[in-house]
Structure formats: structure tokens, C-alpha cells
Amino acid sequence: MVSELNLYTRRLGKEVFDLGNENTTSVRYFSGKSYVHSLTTEPVRVTNVTFEPSCRNNWHIHHKGGQILLVTGGRGWYQMWGEPAQMLKTGDVVNIPVEVKHWHGAAADSWFAHVAISVPAEDASTEWLEEVTKEYYAKLSTE
């Protein structure tokens, strides 16, 4: 953990929140390593999520409740289904509407950290879908 934290600090500068623990709960939905640090769960779930370079999550949909991302470090990508991918940097805010298929993750050459705020809704859930392939992701880095 110390070596990962040192690498994270060198890549992003002074971190806003703790790196947290390696993401083992949703690991099957991520390409590469990610780390999670729960900031609060009540009344709204707020989590610091950190991606190593090239790490990204699968396409997914938030049912009944959306999500807000506050980028706190590094550079990454966000893409809604049918739209071009957007480069994200520190200070960017993404409002992900309910029922929208999307993915997000780190740029190939940068760590990426964001605070994920789950928009509360009764019976909200996340549906995990197909991965963002290496071939597709590699094209983003060169365009």
C-alpha cells in the first residue's frame, strides 16, 4: 500500500482524499487497478475513486438514480453512449443522468481521481455491461 500511495502522490500531487483500498468489490467491472475510499454513506453515498493509468470501468447504467463526478486529480475520460469521449481534468464536473449508458476512467499516461456522488433514489442500482475494449481505448489516446 505504501508504494502504491507514493506512486499516486507523485503522479497526482498532494491527494485531496486518502487513496483508500484496492477495489475488490467491483474488480470484475474494471480494466486495471482502482482504489476506493468511502467518504460517507448517509444520506448520500460519496466515494473517492482513484484509477491507475489506463484503468477504466465497463460501460454501465445507473438505474433510478444518477451520479455526479467531481474530478480531483489527474486526467481521464468520460463517455456517454453515442457521444464522443470527453477528456477530464482536475476541477471538471460531470453530471450523469439516470438511465444513461456510460463509462469513465484514467488516461493512458495519468492517474485519475474523482469523487463519485450517487444521486439517491429508492431501489437505485447499477447495471454493469460490456468492457471498453483495449482496441477502442487505444484509439482515444491517439485521436
Side-chain angles (χ1 to χ4, degrees):
M1 178 73 160
V2 172
S3 63
E4 292 288 348
L5 182 57
N6 287 342
L7 182 58
Y8 167 70
T9 300
R10 280 184 293 186
R11 297 288 188 197
L12 290 179
K14 186 172 182 346
E15 63 277 358
V16 176
F17 299 105
D18 288 339
L19 178 64
N21 297 313
E22 189 169 336
N23 181 0
T24 57
T25 305
S26 302
V27 68
R28 67 184 176 271
Y29 306 120
F30 285 71
S31 299
K33 285 186 184 177
S34 64
Y35 301 84
V36 293
H37 177 69
S38 179
L39 302 175
T40 185
T41 57
E42 296 295 331
V44 175
R45 187 176 57 179
V46 180
T47 308
N48 184 61
V49 183
T50 303
F51 300 77
E52 70 178 1
S54 295
C55 178
R56 60 219 175 262
N57 52 33
N58 289 7
W59 288 96
H60 58 286
I61 300 170
H62 300 286
H63 296 293
K64 297 187 180 178
Q67 189 178 51
I68 300 166
L69 305 179
L70 308 175
V71 180
T72 59
R75 290 181 305 105
W77 293 101
Y78 166 73
Q79 184 175 17
M80 288 184 1
W81 186 257
E83 299 290 329
Q86 301 173 28
M87 176 59 71
L88 300 177
K89 62 186 181 332
T90 303
D92 286 343
V93 176
V94 179
N95 185 5
I96 304 168
V98 65
E99 306 298 336
V100 171
K101 184 176 178 178
H102 67 283
W103 70 271
H104 36 101
D109 61 350
S110 178
W111 283 75
F112 177 61
H114 65 58
V115 171
I117 302 169
S118 297
V119 177
E122 190 173 328
D123 298 324
S125 64
T126 301
E127 178 183 4
W128 291 101
L129 303 164
E130 70 274 15
E131 72 176 59
V132 176
T133 65
K134 288 179 184 179
E135 296 78 17
Y136 179 81
Y137 180 79
K139 290 178 185 176
L140 295 177
S141 300
T142 59
E143 291 178 350

